[in-house]
């Protein structure tokens, strides 16, 4: 008879689990206690500040300075400024509606059922077109609001989406150009990409906003906002092109050969075979690039646009609410967090979905 | 009707200073099954890949179904629309279902409408006995199944010639026969076939002609019977001894 030796018994239950993970050695125990206390203390402090001791409404601003917690009344008072910037007060419903439309468009284009060469452009032409019409007005009794007056969250979203819509196709073209078998095109696009990647974004945007009007005839200058978005898109495209190129290179040579041998035309090889695989292969980097771009939209403040960050600064800059800057920044952080966290969750959902083979 | 499906004359190919093909001449008749074998690095894959323009050649002439395979991309397109190819590594499109793998090339390369293409695809998948996997993705199938899908995908385009570049070399031993069987079936139906393979069983059972290549040259060619039982050249004798174990 052979003696059967079972696996060593492992104690189960929460106590045993905690012992294994947090109190395995004496120094583990010390770190666990100290860190545990810190976490509980800060969580407690945060809850008290943000909720328990917080003041939600005030009759008079002085009340705010005497409370122990946050004074959210500032958001009530200045929320519209933060969300809409300098957009005319009576017309702010348009800005809200435009934001909702563009958010719905963003969400829809994230759904795999919309991923086709026909649906995505139609969706964005309609969504983005409605956004611009609503924001700009000047028809059907809607007063004209020039892009210089746009501000707040809708401006942030407008810049982000504009950069993405223009930048993504450009990135694809640049990536294809860099892979071209014609040396002139390959070297030319390579130089273009490297040039824009080696310049700081701020310099590029400044040049678009300030230098271009000095060099280009007025008729074709376009508005300052459109110039800035185009320049930002080129900058984005230079980075995204390299991501896409890496994605195309990581699809095996065999994919291209199979498509060629089957007699599929070049455009179909690119649109049906290479690009879908390139985007799938580089999804984490693409999401990363989108997140960076979303956060970098705040840089347009420098050239005089009141996107959501600048509007937030304006809300506390007037002095009345000068002491409530923490509340305003927390509010701003939450806005950014919602979008960026949504993007990264979406990214990991897609990755899981693709690992399972459906896409 | 062409009596000669593929006509190759004095083909040379250089990779830099290395000569991969040396003065190769070869004619393949309509309905003929030709097996190309030889030690690795003998240029057999390079030769078969020249036949549909996946590789370029340095000089010589190469005509397929009366079209010159060369720099003229229009001629090349005509050739590719009529010549199917199956690769060692299957090369199915991993982001598309099995069915879509077979439908998309028909739509894009021959402009067929989707409904007709789907009917054709299912028909071919049935013949290859992989139609139950139509809605799956390639990585959910075994190697043997994937290779049969690759064959179905190529056959959907109704090619006049099929090229096989080591179709069973990447397969587990137990899956080789299921792929060879469908290839043998194709040969019996008088499809024009050029196949690079080490599977001498396949060569013996259906090949009309066996060609042995070494160092970029055609060393010897003949019927399977001649090549296996009465090889003339030293290299052929050596090679046949190795492959027949």
């Amino acid at each position: 008879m052979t003696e059967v030796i079972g696996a060593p018994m492992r104690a189960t239950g929460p106590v045993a689990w905690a012992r294994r993970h947090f109190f395995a050695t004496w120094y583990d125990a010390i770190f666990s206690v100290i860190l545990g206390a810190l976490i509980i203390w800060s969580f407690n402090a945060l809850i008290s500040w943000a909720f328990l001791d917080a003041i939600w409404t005030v009759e008079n601003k002085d009340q705010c300075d005497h409370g122990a917690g946050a004074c959210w009344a500032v958001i009530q008072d200045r929320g519209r400024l933060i969300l809409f910037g300098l957009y005319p007060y009576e017309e702010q419903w348009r800005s809200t509606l435009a934001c909702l439309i563009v958010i719905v468009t963003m969400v829809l284009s994230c759904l795999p059922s919309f991923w086709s060469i026909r649906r995505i452009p139609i969706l964005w032409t309609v969504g983005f077109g409605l956004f611009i019409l609503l924001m700009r007005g000047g028809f059907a009794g809607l007063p004209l609001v020039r892009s210089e007056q746009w501000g707040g969250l809708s401006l942030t979203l407008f810049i982000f989406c504009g950069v993405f819509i223009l930048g993504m196709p450009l990135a694809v073209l640049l990536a294809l150009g860099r892979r071209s078998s014609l040396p002139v095109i390959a070297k030319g696009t390579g130089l273009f990409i490297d040039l824009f990647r080696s310049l700081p974004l701020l310099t590029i945007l400044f040049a678009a906003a300030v230098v271009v009007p000095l060099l280009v005839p007025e008729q074709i200058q376009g508005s300052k906002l459109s110039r800035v978005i185009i320049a930002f898109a080129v900058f984005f495209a230079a980075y995204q092109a390299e991501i896409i190129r890496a994605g195309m290179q990581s699809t095996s040579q065999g994919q291209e050969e199979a498509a060629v041998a089957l007699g599929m035309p070049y455009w179909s090889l690119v649109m049906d075979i290479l690009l879908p695989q390139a985007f799938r292969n580089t999804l984490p980097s693409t999401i990363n690039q989108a997140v960076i771009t979303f956060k970098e939209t705040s840089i347009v403040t420098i050239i005089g646009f009141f996107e959501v960050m600048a509007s937030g600064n304006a809300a506390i800059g007037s002095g009345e609410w000068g002491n409530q800057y923490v509340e305003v920044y927390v509010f701003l952080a939450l806005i950014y967090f919602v979008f960026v966290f949504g993007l990264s969750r979406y990214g990991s959902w897609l990755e899981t979905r693709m690992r399972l083979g459906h896409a | 009707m062409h009596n000669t499906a593929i006509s190759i004359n004095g083909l040379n190919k250089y990779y830099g200073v290395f000569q991969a093909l040396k003065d190769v001449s070869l004619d393949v008749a309509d309905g003929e099954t030709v097996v190309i074998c030889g030690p690795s690095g003998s240029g057999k894959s390079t030769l078969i890949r020249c036949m549909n323009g996946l590789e370029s050649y340095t000089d010589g002439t190469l005509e397929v179904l009366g079209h010159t395979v060369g720099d003229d991309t229009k001629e090349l397109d005509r050739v590719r629309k009529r010549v199917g190819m199956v690769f060692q590594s299957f090369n199915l499109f991993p982001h598309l279902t099995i069915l879509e793998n077979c439908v998309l090339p028909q739509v894009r390369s021959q402009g067929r409408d989707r409904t007709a293409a789907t009917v054709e695809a299912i028909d071919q998948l049935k013949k290859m006995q992989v139609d139950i996997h139509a809605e799956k993705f390639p990585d959910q199938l075994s190697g043997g199944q994937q290779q049969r899908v690759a064959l179905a995908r190529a056959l959907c385009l109704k090619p006049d010639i099929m090229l096989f570049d080591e179709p069973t070399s990447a397969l587990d031993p137990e899956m080789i026969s299921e792929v060879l069987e469908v290839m043998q079936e194709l040969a019996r139906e008088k499809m024009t076939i050029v196949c690079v393979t080490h599977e001498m069983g396949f060569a013996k059972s259906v090949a009309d002609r066996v060609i042995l290549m070494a160092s970029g040259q055609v060393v010897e060619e003949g019927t399977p019977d001649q090549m296996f039982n009465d090889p003339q050249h030293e290299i052929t004798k050596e090679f046949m001894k190795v492959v027949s174990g």
Side-chain angles (χ1 to χ4, degrees), chain B residues 16 28 56 58 131 186 191 207 212-213 243:
Chain B
V28 178
S56 60
T58 316
D131 53 313
L186 211 56
M191 167 72 80
L212 186 104
M213 286 184 73
V243 291

Side-chain angles (χ1 to χ4, degrees), chain A residues 254-255 257 260 262 272 357, chain B residues 49 92-93 95 108-109 137:
Chain A
Q255 291 291 308
E257 284 181 355
V260 166
L262 287 161
D272 295 322
Chain B
R49 288 160 56 84
L92 295 179
F93 304 130
H95 60 298
R108 294 290 188 246
S109 144
F137 287 87

Side-chain angles (χ1 to χ4, degrees), chain A residues 6 17 21 45 53 108 120-121 147 162 178 186 202 246 268 273 296 302 309-310 312 345 356 359:
Chain A
W17 181 85
H21 287 94
D53 300 338
L108 284 181
I120 284 279
S147 63
R178 199 158 193 183
L202 193 55
S268 165
I273 308 300
E296 272 184 345
I302 305 280
M309 188 73 202
R345 291 316 305 159
L356 295 174

Side-chain angles (χ1 to χ4, degrees), chain A residues 49-63:
Chain A
W49 178 80
F51 300 105
L52 302 180
D53 300 338
I55 301 169
W56 299 91
T57 47
V58 288
E59 277 106 56
N60 155 354
K61 282 159 199 127
D62 295 336
Q63 279 178 278

Side-chain angles (χ1 to χ4, degrees), chain A residues 117 252-265 267-268 272-274 276-277 280 355-359, chain B residues 49 52 54 80-81 83-85 87 89-96 101 104-105 108-109 137 139-140 153-154 157:
Chain A
I117 306 166
S252 72
Q253 182 71 30
Q255 291 291 308
E256 208 165 328
E257 284 181 355
V260 166
L262 287 161
M264 294 164 77
W267 68 265
S268 165
D272 295 322
I273 308 300
L274 291 183
Q277 292 189 55
R280 278 169 178 80
R355 249 201 315 278
L356 295 174
H358 314 287
Chain B
R49 288 160 56 84
N52 66 348
L54 285 185
R80 284 169 179 161
K81 283 193 163 77
V83 177
M85 189 171 204
F87 300 86
S89 48
F90 328 135
N91 295 345
L92 295 179
F93 304 130
H95 60 298
L96 303 177
N101 260 281
L104 188 73
R108 294 290 188 246
S109 144
F137 287 87
D139 63 358
Q140 294 169 293
R153 176 174 73 174
L157 301 175

Side-chain angles (χ1 to χ4, degrees), chain A residues 117 168-169 171-173 175-176 179 241 244-245 247-248 251 267-282, chain B residues 95:
Chain A
I117 306 166
M168 216 27 125
V172 169
L173 288 180
L176 290 175
R179 279 167 48 94
I244 295 173
R245 185 173 70 104
M248 289 203 268
T251 61
W267 68 265
S268 165
L269 162 71
V270 170
M271 302 302 279
D272 295 322
I273 308 300
L274 291 183
L275 281 182
Q277 292 189 55
F279 275 109
R280 278 169 178 80
N281 293 345
T282 58
Chain B
H95 60 298

Side-chain angles (χ1 to χ4, degrees), chain A residues 116-139:
Chain A
S116 81
I117 306 166
R118 221 172 298 160
R119 280 181 204 159
I120 284 279
I122 291 177
L123 177 69
W124 275 98
T125 313
V126 171
F128 210 57
L130 278 176
F131 180 96
I132 294 173
L133 283 179
L134 260 174
M135 287 294 283
R136 208 181 136 74
F139 65 95

